[in-house]
Amino acid sequence: MRRKNEFFITSRLITALVASMVTLTVAAQAPSPRPRLVVGIMIDGLREDYLDLLKGYFGEDGFKRIMREGVMFDDVNYGTAVDVAAATAMIYTGSSPAINGIPAAMVYDTEKRISYPVVHDPSKIGNYTDETYSPKAIKVSTLSDEVRIDGGGLGNVYSIAPSAPQSIILAGHAGNSAFWINDVTGRWATTTYYKDVPSPMQSRNYSKPLATRLDTLTWRPLMEPEKYPDLPAYKKYYPFRYLFQRNDIDRFRNYKTSGPVNTELTDIASDYIKGLRLGNGNAMDMLSIGYTLAPFAAAKDADSRIETMDSYIRLDSELARLFKTIDSNVGLANTFIMIAGTPPVQNNKRDDEKWGIPDGEFSPRQAISLLNVYLMAKYGNGEWVSGYYNGQMYLNHKLIKEHDLDVKTVRAEAADFLVRMSAVSRVWTIDDILAGRAGVNADAIKRNTHVDYAGDVLIEVNPGWEIVETDPVNKKERRSTMRTGTMTAPVFLLSPDLKPQHISTETDARSIAPTVARLLRIRSPNAAEFPPLRLEKK
């Protein structure tokens, strides 16, 4: 009997031991909880060299925190120079403009001969604005869409940014709302495509309108001018001071590229996190923010370094404030943060003539006139050129068809004529681009060109020369200086599951979205062109 009892006890001990081992194994293999809040931050014009230059001026909880605790990709390549809308679409879709449908914030209408926002949709109605926009132009799914779909609609997805195209791209097709600053009224505006108008935004528009607050806003340096690094002496003696007064019709447009606009964005983001209780529901929520470090639109001269550095230092404080709000209301341990820079736009003011840098002026209007005269001499009377926009010349396809001409031949003739102009360095036809024959960066030019919006001929103006145009809205002369060179931007991922890492090798911008999707354990956007990157986890 004793042996039987001993056998029974031994069997129970072995069973209990095996069961405990299985339990421990299952516990060890169980995945960590997914984040309750995803924060996507796009920073227009963020540069790795400025982060390095100013790191001694940053606090511990802003840029330093993401560089210290996050994964840093310091060389993310977008292929060619793209604007903030196209760059944002590449990061959020994991695909190039040729696929995702967003080659730029503004595109050209050859029939009306005007540029218009790529997100324009006359079937929708504006809210707090007469603008009619929607995400219809985005041809694929985005990270925001996939977050919302993953939660079956229980999670919420919001976006805020200075410009409409970027805000709409950030919200995607499935977002709850997308808000931006209207250029004319200064109100935070949206479109009726999105169903939500969050209470913090309603309150801001009615009780704290930006138009009233800008009357008393002055942007001046945070520090004494001599404390900013690498400034020439004359900049130290004449620090900047900018006002946003009612009599300036461009005050809201200028404000949207100023350092102080980032404070407004952080205020709203904080109101959303606290007021809407983001990250406290039964599914992942997502908040996307479009900050800016772009060259200030109303800078007084070509050297706007002090304005740019001041914007970096201000944004560092805003990031620290945002992270503190997240930690207090959701917990940084429960939050996934992506911060992606978009390639910086060079200051568009020409260098002073006293420096002797070779320069000149390129007038698109004159180029159109001369090309039209040339084509009339060759093919007969008519208006052969429909217009010029953003380096692209558009031909009159209807007239070409009426004369029973081959459009490729006419394009080639136009390109051959334009390349002989003194202001022009290189010219490619759309046929060259699609065939991958457009210079040393042919593949990047091809994938960043969307055929539905592309002109017939792409013109590259000589570096250092000014392109002189007339703004179709306010009829003011608009000048921009041509500068070449591929610009990259850093990207940061901050997650409690990731080990801090610094990745210096070149990273394609299209790999970011699938990488984020993998870390969130959601589907990758449906047009992602690259597999996710493998990052070291804790």
Side-chain angles (χ1 to χ4, degrees):
M1 185 71 179
R2 184 178 176 185
R3 287 184 179 179
K4 187 175 180 180
N5 288 339
E6 287 178 350
F7 176 77
F8 179 72
I9 293 169
T10 302
S11 298
R12 291 190 64 182
L13 285 171
I14 292 171
T15 302
L17 181 61
V18 170
S20 65
M21 289 176 66
V22 170
T23 302
L24 287 171
T25 302
V26 170
Q29 293 177 346
S32 60
R34 292 199 301 179
R36 301 206 307 259
L37 176 64
V38 180
V39 179
I41 299 173
M42 299 297 300
I43 304 179
D44 185 17
L46 181 65
R47 293 171 51 169
E48 189 271 337
D49 57 340
Y50 266 87
L51 291 178
D52 186 61
L53 174 68
L54 297 170
K55 62 185 177 184
Y57 297 80
F58 297 149
E60 293 300 317
D61 299 321
F63 281 122
K64 278 187 178 180
R65 181 170 206 156
I66 59 175
M67 289 189 283
R68 181 178 66 245
E69 300 178 10
V71 177
M72 178 179 181
F73 304 89
D74 60 12
D75 188 15
V76 175
N77 190 357
Y78 289 84
T80 64
V82 290
D83 69 8
V84 63
T88 299
M90 290 175 73
I91 290 291
Y92 268 61
T93 67
S95 59
S96 57
I99 294 173
N100 66 42
I102 308 294
M106 302 290 290
V107 291
Y108 189 73
D109 187 323
T110 55
E111 291 187 7
K112 296 180 181 179
R113 303 191 178 189
I114 58 170
S115 59
Y116 65 95
V118 69
V119 293
H120 177 63
D121 183 354
S123 70
K124 303 302 175 186
I125 300 172
N127 202 340
Y128 300 113
T129 179
D130 59 1
E131 300 160 306
T132 55
Y133 299 151
S134 85
K136 185 172 76 171
I138 310 170
K139 304 300 183 186
V140 299
S141 74
T142 70
L143 279 172
S144 301
D145 294 332
E146 299 299 343
V147 167
R148 190 106 200 275
I149 292 168
D150 179 79
L154 294 178
N156 295 300
V157 171
Y158 300 101
S159 73
I160 50 173
S163 72
Q166 185 184 33
S167 186
I168 289 171
I169 293 164
L170 290 172
H173 303 273
N176 295 73
S177 76
F179 273 85
W180 62 88
I181 300 173
N182 180 272
D183 285 345
V184 178
T185 66
R187 285 194 168 201
W188 280 95
T190 187
T191 164
T192 53
Y193 172 89
Y194 298 110
K195 306 307 178 186
D196 289 6
V197 179
S199 53
M201 195 61 82
Q202 292 186 55
S203 174
R204 183 163 291 266
N205 270 339
Y206 286 114
S207 63
K208 296 188 289 185
L210 187 59
T212 301
R213 288 183 286 123
L214 276 192
D215 291 341
T216 57
L217 177 66
T218 301
W219 181 24
R220 53 169 61 94
L222 279 171
M223 306 184 298
E224 294 297 321
E226 59 269 16
K227 292 183 179 180
Y228 292 89
D230 296 350
L231 279 184
Y234 82 97
K235 279 289 183 180
K236 298 176 182 178
Y237 299 130
Y238 302 100
F240 67 84
R241 179 175 177 271
Y242 297 109
L243 304 174
F244 304 91
Q245 297 178 317
R246 286 180 181 269
N247 59 356
D248 182 0
I249 62 171
D250 292 322
R251 70 171 181 153
F252 297 120
R253 294 185 184 91
N254 294 337
Y255 174 71
K256 286 161 67 168
T257 66
S258 72
V261 74
N262 294 324
T263 300
E264 175 81 357
L265 288 157
T266 305
D267 286 345
I268 296 172
S270 298
D271 288 346
Y272 273 31
I273 292 167
K274 292 183 288 188
L276 304 178
R277 294 185 54 77
L278 297 184
N280 288 279
N282 296 319
M284 268 193 297
D285 294 326
M286 185 170 185
L287 175 62
S288 294
I289 309 164
Y291 286 120
T292 182
L293 292 169
F296 182 49
K300 292 181 170 59
D301 59 48
D303 187 348
S304 58
R305 274 179 290 177
I306 186 170
E307 290 93 333
T308 298
M309 286 189 283
D310 190 76
S311 294
Y312 271 83
I313 295 169
R314 287 175 181 271
L315 181 54
D316 176 64
S317 297
E318 296 307 324
L319 289 174
R321 186 160 66 97
L322 176 66
F323 297 159
K324 183 177 180 180
T325 300
I326 293 170
D327 203 25
S328 299
N329 292 270
V330 185
L332 284 170
N334 302 312
T335 305
F336 182 95
I337 299 173
M338 175 188 73
I339 298 179
T342 65
V345 176
Q346 298 290 342
N347 193 304
N348 61 9
K349 296 182 183 297
R350 187 168 63 180
D351 291 315
D352 195 297
E353 291 181 2
K354 67 183 179 181
W355 306 120
I357 306 297
D359 60 17
E361 293 183 355
F362 172 70
S363 168
R365 179 179 293 183
Q366 185 180 21
I368 289 172
S369 178
L370 292 172
L371 177 58
N372 202 59
V373 169
Y374 171 75
L375 294 176
M376 281 196 296
K378 194 170 186 68
Y379 298 116
N381 289 336
E383 195 171 12
W384 293 95
V385 185
S386 293
Y388 168 95
Y389 183 73
N390 196 26
Q392 300 177 81
M393 197 72 79
Y394 295 80
L395 300 179
N396 187 337
H397 285 226
K398 183 178 179 182
L399 186 60
I400 292 171
K401 187 175 181 179
E402 287 175 357
H403 282 69
D404 197 27
L405 298 170
D406 178 54
V407 67
K408 291 185 179 181
T409 301
V410 180
R411 284 177 186 144
E413 291 282 355
D416 185 62
F417 174 80
L418 290 167
V419 79
R420 299 173 189 273
M421 298 181 68
S422 59
V424 176
S425 58
R426 289 180 289 189
V427 176
W428 299 290
T429 67
I430 184 62
D431 307 297
D432 294 329
I433 292 170
L434 296 179
R437 300 191 299 264
V440 294
N441 207 15
D443 180 65
I445 294 174
K446 178 180 178 180
R447 70 174 185 256
N448 284 359
T449 299
H450 195 288
V451 69
D452 289 353
Y453 304 113
D456 292 275
V457 179
L458 176 65
I459 302 169
E460 189 172 294
V461 176
N462 294 327
W465 285 51
E466 276 191 312
I467 302 172
V468 184
E469 303 175 82
T470 300
D471 191 300
V473 178
N474 56 27
K475 306 303 178 185
K476 289 183 178 180
E477 184 180 80
R478 185 174 57 197
R479 291 173 174 263
S480 57
T481 301
M482 180 66 185
R483 295 179 185 273
T484 59
T486 301
M487 299 298 292
T488 60
V491 170
F492 301 88
L493 303 179
L494 186 63
S495 166
D497 290 338
L498 290 175
K499 285 186 177 181
Q501 299 162 66
H502 191 154
I503 299 172
S504 297
T505 55
E506 184 180 284
T507 304
D508 195 294
R510 294 170 291 174
S511 66
I512 300 300
T515 301
V516 170
R518 179 185 179 88
L519 293 168
L520 296 177
R521 304 203 292 272
I522 63 173
R523 294 187 319 184
S524 188
N526 61 15
E529 298 177 65
F530 277 70
L533 301 169
R534 300 283 178 170
L535 301 176
E536 193 175 354
K537 294 188 176 182
K538 292 179 181 177

